[in-house]
Amino acid sequence: MGTTREIFWNIGHGTIVVMYLLALVAVGLLAEGFRRRRDIWRRGKPLGRTDNLALRFSRFLAETVSQRKVAKVAEGGVPHAMLFWAFLLLFAGTLLVMVQADFLTPFFRFSLLSGDFYRVYSLVLDLAGLLALLALGVLAARRYVIRPPGLESTPADARIHLLLFSILLTGFIVEGVRISATELRDNPALALWSPVGYLFATLFSGMSVHAQRSVHQALWWLHLLLGLGFVAIIPWTKLRHIATTSGNSFFEPHEPKGTLAPLDLEDESVERFGASVVGDLSWKDLFDADACTLCGRCQQRCPAYLTGKPLSPMKVINDIGAVAGTENDKSLIDTVSRDALWSCTTCGACEETCPASIEHVGKIIEMRRSLVLMEGEFPGDEARRACDAIEINGNPFGLSHLSRGEWAKGLPVSAADGKIETDILYFTGCYASFDPRNRRVAESFIKICEAAGVSVAMLGKAERCCGEPARKLGNEYLYRMVAGSNIAAIRAAKVKRIVTACPHCFNTLVRDYRELGLDVPVEHHSTFIRRLVGEGRLKLHQESFSATYHDSCYLARYQDIIEAPRLVLEAAGGRLTEMEWSGSETFCCGAGGGRILAEEKLGMPIVDERLRMAKMAGASTVATACPFCLSMFEDGLKREPAESRLDVLDLAEIVARRIERH
């Protein structure tokens, strides 16, 4: 025997027709299953996710082959990626056999599977099968022995594990019997290129040739039926995520993070806004439900879930999928529950960690829009009053808009009236304008600008709340109203650049207002200060202090601003220690998603959990770069014993104290 093997040994070419008929049935069931899933997806509204096909396809290939998002998850990610890679290699090997048997041999008399290529082919496929068995074993141990919280197991999961294990095991046994009958004695050097198959071959070496052939033939058909059965059940079980999770990497949005679906509030033909039934969502929202692997990673990163609130991002997605799979128009909101919807802080942790690229936050906002715009419902009366105050006075505190600029009295800040040209417009935001604690942040920022020779203007009484908290609660009407007023004031001021210390204002101005026509460059104060220090315009004397930096979700996740504030702290003498969760994996303070306007009545306060992490970091100062975070920390510290309280300071306050005076 040469360096090859006989394809379909002991099976006979007469059975090929039967094999392909069975394969056709399996593929037919696969196609029919996905056709039915497609009918469910089509219940959603149209959504353009097929633009820039070259970019989408390249991202699809890169994400699918690399399994980057899956592998980066610590709990079970690597073995799951290993299982995928192993089956991908095994599938490729099966395709090569088909090409050889049905194309190269009959038409060209050419043998690709021979010589050194066959040796490598045998070794790679053997090792791939072993890798798959090991990965499957680790995943089974994790699911059924370790049982991490949040990972739900059903009898269907056990059946899928058993099916995969059976496919792999019968494959090795079939290979082992063949090697025992054809290579073990006559060509042992070749047999060693299939090391796992060789080990199985030794188990059958004492059998007669007749018995070996009988066992081989029976298990070959069993292996084939198991493999084709696996293909057939994919769309009918949670295995459909093999296709839909990969598909989601193709359908990912190209818009900046946090972009929400637009609403045409002027369209009188629209009967309802937001999402109350399945048909109000997009097809991609329903597709996401099929892409979910039920791994539980999103809820294990959700600050609401981890602090005892009735929100599981995973459950929201699967509730949507369950409703979509029914024929009636059952209420999405009643299924998901109002408490779950109002608990979301829109921090984006679920989307950041999801290996299936599922978009959770937009769906929640759509249901909130329905509650607010169609039913006039809010998470509490305090949130309703805050929104009323924004509509009347331009701020959630209900204070007169005429007093909005009083914080700047005695500071070198001019009124942005379009006549005096300044370097930047400081969009102050509601908290820095009215909250005494956050006013100190605004004052510190102006001192920094003065020291760096940067001239500053403000809108003063012409500024309104940016509208972000109201929009995240679902009040799109109020957001549009204040956004229109702010954009008009900014245009009238003829400013060249906007800087704000609030990540929520920053995201709204740099992303959402751009959708409404604002084209002025916008910068967060953390990167602005970093640039002043880097250019040598701001001189700081280093005064050593220990600090841990709390990443605002709306800076770190939504805008990828992670390094700049840390560099500023180090330039000011900070010795940084990181909290348990930091950077893009930061833990929310609890104020996002409009929650800053609502009381936190369910579970424990989210900020208390974050303060626990801050204390564990061992630093004396918690630095932040967000007025919402600062306010939440200050409120949380009031519940702490005085002797154990940390100092909480904004980045601007720390820098302002270390400005070199000449």
Side-chain angles (χ1 to χ4, degrees):
M1 179 183 292
T3 311
T4 186
R5 69 176 172 87
E6 179 187 346
I7 296 177
F8 301 127
W9 174 84
N10 195 40
I11 301 302
H13 290 277
T15 60
I16 294 177
V17 174
V18 178
M19 180 185 72
Y20 278 112
L21 284 175
L22 290 172
L24 190 62
V25 171
V27 172
L29 289 170
L30 176 80
E32 173 62 15
F34 276 117
R35 185 196 66 78
R36 295 191 183 190
R37 302 314 301 177
R38 183 195 62 183
D39 289 344
I40 292 175
W41 305 332
R42 283 181 169 178
R43 294 185 65 188
K45 295 188 295 187
L47 178 68
R49 288 291 175 87
T50 55
D51 58 312
N52 204 337
L53 290 174
L55 175 60
R56 289 186 179 279
F57 188 68
S58 63
R59 185 170 60 190
F60 161 76
L61 284 179
E63 293 287 353
T64 301
V65 174
S66 72
Q67 291 286 287
R68 178 183 62 85
K69 289 187 177 181
V70 173
K72 79 172 185 177
V73 180
E75 305 88 3
V78 172
H80 197 288
M82 289 165 56
L83 186 65
F84 173 84
W85 292 325
F87 267 93
L88 188 64
L89 287 171
L90 293 170
F91 178 69
T94 303
L95 288 181
L96 275 178
V97 169
M98 292 174 60
V99 169
Q100 180 67 68
D102 303 327
F103 184 70
L104 295 180
T105 298
F107 292 105
F108 297 97
R109 304 295 181 185
F110 171 71
S111 179
L112 177 65
L113 296 178
S114 62
D116 289 340
F117 185 87
Y118 176 68
R119 292 189 185 93
V120 174
Y121 167 88
S122 298
L123 179 62
V124 169
L125 261 63
D126 241 45
L127 295 180
L130 178 61
L131 181 66
L133 276 175
L134 293 174
L136 195 61
V138 171
L139 291 173
R142 179 173 181 266
R143 180 177 290 275
Y144 299 110
V145 179
I146 300 174
R147 297 185 178 185
L151 182 62
E152 300 176 1
S153 295
T154 65
D157 295 316
R159 288 192 291 270
I160 289 172
H161 271 269
L162 183 60
L163 174 61
L164 294 175
F165 182 79
S166 299
I167 291 172
L168 293 167
L169 184 60
T170 54
F172 276 127
I173 294 176
V174 167
E175 180 189 37
V177 176
R178 178 191 62 79
I179 291 174
S180 181
T182 63
E183 298 175 9
L184 203 57
R185 286 173 296 184
D186 298 334
N187 200 347
L190 179 60
L192 290 173
W193 284 91
S194 301
V196 184
Y198 181 88
L199 291 176
F200 277 91
T202 60
L203 300 177
F204 299 96
S205 60
M207 295 176 63
S208 67
V209 174
H210 176 73
Q212 287 176 337
R213 284 181 174 273
S214 297
V215 170
H216 175 271
Q217 196 168 72
L219 288 179
W220 187 92
W221 281 106
L222 177 60
H223 178 69
L224 174 68
L225 291 174
L226 289 172
L228 293 179
F230 170 77
V231 172
I233 68 171
I234 285 174
W236 309 90
T237 66
K238 67 182 292 186
L239 286 171
R240 69 176 72 97
H241 78 263
I242 296 172
T244 50
T245 297
S246 299
N248 246 5
S249 62
F250 181 89
F251 295 124
E252 281 188 60
H254 286 163
E255 296 82 10
K257 291 180 185 178
T259 299
L260 298 179
L263 286 184
D264 187 354
L265 297 173
E266 306 300 323
D267 188 347
E268 296 181 358
S269 67
V270 177
E271 296 182 357
R272 60 177 182 255
F273 296 106
S276 59
V277 295
V278 164
D280 295 331
L281 294 171
S282 73
W283 68 263
K284 174 60 168 55
D285 292 322
L286 308 186
F287 187 89
D288 275 351
D290 276 353
C292 179
T293 65
L294 296 174
C295 66
R297 290 162 186 157
C298 56
Q299 69 181 25
Q300 291 306 315
R301 283 290 181 178
C302 175
Y305 179 85
L306 293 175
T307 53
K309 296 169 181 59
L311 170 63
S312 161
M314 179 181 71
K315 186 174 183 299
V316 169
I317 299 303
N318 284 277
D319 283 346
I320 291 172
V323 175
T326 63
E327 295 297 327
N328 56 38
D329 279 340
K330 185 178 180 181
S331 169
L332 282 175
I333 293 170
D334 289 342
T335 302
V336 173
S337 89
R338 287 162 170 78
D339 283 342
L341 293 174
W342 292 128
S343 294
C344 179
T345 67
T346 69
C347 69
C350 50
E351 296 185 8
E352 182 71 25
T353 195
C354 179
S357 303
I358 290 171
E359 301 163 57
H360 309 73
V361 175
K363 299 170 182 53
I364 292 174
I365 298 298
E366 285 300 309
M367 287 183 270
R368 284 183 173 184
R369 283 172 167 176
S370 178
L371 285 171
V372 173
L373 298 176
M374 305 309 299
E375 301 179 30
E377 194 171 321
F378 288 83
D381 289 338
E382 71 285 357
R384 184 193 306 275
R385 289 192 295 270
C387 286
D388 289 343
I390 292 174
E391 183 173 0
I392 296 169
N393 297 302
N395 66 82
F397 307 108
L399 300 173
S400 171
H401 73 278
L402 297 176
S403 63
R404 194 173 189 101
E406 289 183 357
W407 65 271
K409 285 184 178 178
L411 296 174
V413 184
S414 61
D417 55 9
K419 299 176 182 177
I420 302 175
E421 186 174 307
T422 57
D423 294 318
I424 64 168
L425 170 72
Y426 179 47
F427 193 90
T428 315
C430 296
Y431 273 75
S433 295
F434 296 104
D435 174 54
R437 175 64 187 87
N438 275 284
R439 279 186 170 185
R440 301 209 301 266
V441 177
E443 293 165 1
S444 296
F445 179 71
I446 299 305
K447 290 177 183 177
I448 291 170
C449 291
E450 182 182 21
V454 176
S455 56
V456 183
M458 67 174 182
L459 293 175
K461 63 183 180 181
E463 182 182 299
R464 298 287 184 271
C465 173
C466 70
E468 190 269 351
R471 192 183 198 201
K472 293 299 167 59
L473 286 177
N475 197 338
E476 187 75 10
Y477 172 82
L478 179 55
Y479 159 71
R480 292 288 183 87
M481 186 183 77
V482 293
S485 176
N486 282 327
I487 291 172
I490 291 169
R491 285 173 175 165
K494 300 177 181 178
V495 298
K496 297 185 294 184
R497 176 174 293 275
I498 301 172
V499 177
T500 180
C502 177
H504 299 266
C505 294
F506 174 57
N507 273 271
T508 303
L509 268 65
V510 78
R511 182 191 60 222
D512 302 338
Y513 280 18
R514 195 168 298 277
E515 297 173 0
L516 301 177
L518 182 69
D519 58 359
V520 179
V522 185
E523 192 170 4
H524 185 257
H525 82 321
S526 61
T527 58
F528 182 73
I529 295 171
R530 166 59 187 156
R531 189 154 49 81
L532 293 179
V533 173
E535 293 173 355
R537 299 173 63 184
L538 184 65
K539 303 291 185 180
L540 303 179
H541 66 269
Q542 289 198 346
E543 182 181 320
S544 181
F545 67 102
S546 65
T548 186
Y549 176 69
H550 165 73
D551 291 277
S552 159
C553 303
Y554 274 71
L555 274 189
R557 286 207 190 92
Y558 283 85
Q559 294 294 335
D560 299 317
I561 297 176
I562 297 172
E563 183 181 19
R566 288 171 168 79
L567 292 175
V568 170
L569 289 171
E570 289 174 359
R575 304 187 311 278
L576 295 180
T577 57
E578 296 292 352
M579 287 190 232
E580 180 181 350
W581 290 352
S582 61
S584 61
E585 296 186 349
T586 187
F587 193 86
C588 186
C589 72
R595 294 295 315 174
I596 190 72
L597 306 181
E599 294 178 10
E600 197 171 354
K601 301 172 184 176
L602 301 174
M604 69 175 285
I606 291 174
V607 73
D608 287 1
E609 176 61 16
R610 190 53 169 167
L611 280 170
R612 181 194 67 80
M613 296 181 190
K615 289 179 180 177
M616 291 295 291
S620 60
T621 300
V622 178
T624 185
C626 173
F628 287 10
C629 298
L630 181 61
S631 296
M632 296 300 287
F633 279 131
E634 292 285 359
D635 288 344
L637 287 172
K638 292 175 183 177
R639 295 186 288 272
E640 299 282 337
E643 63 274 9
S644 65
R645 290 180 186 174
L646 299 167
D647 287 331
V648 182
L649 296 170
D650 185 87
L651 194 67
E653 294 179 294
I654 293 172
V655 171
R657 294 177 182 181
R658 290 160 176 79
I659 296 173
E660 286 190 359
R661 303 296 179 183
H662 298 289

